[in-house]
Amino acid sequence: MTAPRIEADLDKVEQNTRILVDRLAVAGIRVTGVTKAVLGSPAVAAAMLRGGACGLGDSRVPNLARLAGLGTSRTLIRSPMLSQVGRVVLVSDISLNTEAVVLAALDRAAFRERRTHGIILMIELGDLREGIAVADVPEAVRAVLGHPSLRLVGLGGNLACQNGVVPDDRNMGVLSGLVDATEGLHGITLDVVSGGNSANLDWAFGSHDVGRVDQLRLGEAILLGVDPLYRTPIVGLHTDAFTLTAEVIEVAVKPVRPWGDRAQAAFGEAPVRTGAGTVRQAILALGHQDVALDGLRPPAGITVLGMSSDHLVVDLGDHAVAVGDEIDFGVDYGALLRAMTSPFVTTIEQRGPATARTMRQRGGHDDAEPGPRTGTGIR
Ligand SMILES: *Cc1c(COP(=O)(O)O)cnc(C)c1O
């Protein structure tokens, strides 16, 4: 099998979705599955839908285009670029918006395509990324209502992404209050109140009153089973639905300490190597062009020593590893996103545990150590 590769366990994605959908249903909140970290993968999106997500969202137009065949509502969750409104109305039913000039352009684009495009107006709730100031909302609502080819679907917010502002009863209360005020002022009913992303889960599970919030846009929690506020695992969810596998290209016993005069390494300050003696070191064919180093979790007993464009150097500890063997790594959101985006990383998506687990080690020592070494992360 080719390496490096990301293996996705679609059953785990489905199960994670199902658990979140069921828990949120208690509070009257539906789930939009967000696919941007997996490049709009239709297989992952389908798993989210099987798990009960009632729509899909992505931040990129090309990713949304990949989701066309799934027969569900698609939402562009980043404000459309003015230069792409024509494609936006073709690949999405709804987009999140803050700018009057974009609304006007979307209206014209939708009219040309004889479509109606849905709008969720995003409200600034304190995280200082996208959002309309609360005082400016009536004017923005009037703008949408005045465009014949646009439909005001609802209001939304997004916290935690830019400045780590935590969703709570206060800021979510502002959003709910605004929904009530908007309906009253304009004599309308809003279908959707999109409270936020995975960072809202702690609030949604803990709050005794989620107010008018009836939808969350969830990516990280579904895919990786973690709460992005503190990157802690969410009880009951799989944190290993995605695995990154790389192949060993050199194994050697080397001194712990480099020698010669030292300056910067390829990516800035060289990693510090302390201690004395030797280390059993392996190089994997994996680099910054494939993945974000920060987000890689090696198997127990293996330590990352450093990475450059194309080489990942690890201390093997006591593990028996040969050239041609593969090592599995866990990934965080950044590592997953980068790996899925790299043209050098293959994606393998399957339901159930990866069949590759039964693959034999390569490197010409199959006879010496037959069979898979499941559970070690080394194959
Ligand atoms: C990325 C994003 C989401 C999903 O965030 P997760 O933390 O992956 O759940 C939701 N809404 C917006 C606007 C986003 O950009």
Side-chain angles (χ1 to χ4, degrees):
M1 205 170 299
T2 66
R5 62 180 181 274
I6 284 277
E7 289 182 17
D9 182 334
L10 299 173
D11 283 346
K12 287 183 178 171
V13 173
E14 176 181 339
Q15 287 158 16
N16 281 359
T17 312
R18 171 63 60 201
I19 289 169
L20 292 168
V21 163
D22 288 349
R23 286 187 196 164
L24 288 169
V26 177
I29 294 176
R30 288 166 301 169
V31 171
T32 293
V34 173
T35 53
K36 69 189 180 204
V38 291
L39 216 63
S41 155
V44 172
M48 290 174 169
L49 294 174
R50 286 196 299 277
C54 61
L56 298 169
D58 203 292
S59 49
R60 308 274 171 156
V61 163
N63 291 354
L64 288 167
R66 296 184 69 194
L67 301 173
L70 292 167
T72 189
S73 150
R74 289 173 291 168
T75 301
L76 177 63
I77 62 172
R78 184 175 70 182
S79 298
M81 287 187 261
L82 207 45
S83 61
Q84 69 178 172
V85 289
R87 293 206 63 208
V88 169
V89 300
L90 293 177
V91 302
S92 65
D93 308 284
I94 298 169
S95 56
L96 309 188
N97 284 275
T98 60
E99 290 283 354
V101 61
V102 176
L103 293 171
L106 283 168
D107 181 52
R108 286 192 298 273
F111 178 76
R112 273 197 298 276
E113 299 295 339
R114 295 185 173 74
R115 291 174 183 229
T116 302
H117 185 72
I119 301 292
I120 292 178
L121 290 174
M122 293 297 278
I123 314 303
E124 177 58 70
L125 297 172
D127 198 49
L128 302 180
R129 204 178 68 178
E130 75 274 39
I132 301 166
V134 168
D136 298 336
V137 171
E139 189 185 333
V141 168
R142 269 194 296 274
V144 178
L145 297 177
H147 289 305
S149 296
L150 300 184
R151 182 172 71 88
L152 183 62
V153 173
L155 303 185
N158 194 73
L159 292 171
C161 285
Q162 176 70 18
N163 285 300
V165 172
V166 178
D168 57 22
D169 282 343
R170 258 177 310 167
N171 45 41
M172 287 297 112
V174 169
L175 181 61
S176 286
L178 202 54
V179 172
D180 289 338
T182 300
E183 292 186 338
L185 183 64
H186 303 278
I188 55 176
T189 309
L190 298 173
D191 291 345
V192 173
V193 182
S194 191
N197 54 53
S198 295
N200 282 66
L201 285 171
D202 211 31
W203 163 79
F205 294 147
S207 174
H208 48 87
D209 181 13
V210 299
R212 295 292 307 269
V213 172
D214 61 11
Q215 186 213 71
L216 292 178
R217 310 174 301 272
L218 302 182
E220 181 163 4
I222 292 175
L223 300 171
L224 297 175
V226 297
D227 175 342
L229 286 177
Y230 304 104
R231 295 266 138 60
T232 45
I234 300 171
V235 176
L237 267 57
H238 301 285
T239 56
D240 60 350
F242 294 85
T243 308
L244 177 68
T245 302
E247 185 174 329
V248 175
I249 57 172
E250 182 190 296
V251 179
V253 175
K254 299 205 179 188
V256 169
R257 302 282 193 129
W259 63 87
D261 294 336
R262 299 182 68 194
Q264 290 203 352
F267 284 80
E269 284 308 311
V272 178
R273 291 175 68 145
T274 54
T278 58
V279 57
R280 290 187 53 253
Q281 173 178 303
I283 300 175
L284 293 120
L286 188 76
H288 288 295
Q289 286 204 67
D290 308 298
V291 71
L293 175 61
D294 298 351
L296 276 189
R297 280 195 312 276
I302 292 185
T303 315
V304 170
L305 297 176
M307 187 188 252
S308 50
S309 310
D310 313 293
H311 298 80
L312 174 65
V313 181
V314 300
D315 177 346
L316 290 172
D318 298 330
H319 286 289
V321 168
V323 169
D325 286 353
E326 295 180 331
I327 298 183
D328 295 337
F329 295 84
V331 286
D332 76 1
Y333 197 71
L336 176 64
L337 187 135
R338 181 96 72 84
M340 292 296 296
T341 310
S342 170
F344 303 105
V345 180
T346 310
T347 307
I348 295 174
E349 299 163 316
Q350 47 207 347
R351 299 184 67 166
T355 51
R357 304 274 159 215
T358 59
M359 216 174 58
R360 291 182 309 165
Q361 288 191 307
R362 283 175 282 188
H365 61 288
D366 290 351
D367 295 341
E369 294 182 74
R373 298 190 206 170
T374 47
T376 63
I378 300 168
R379 17 179 139 167

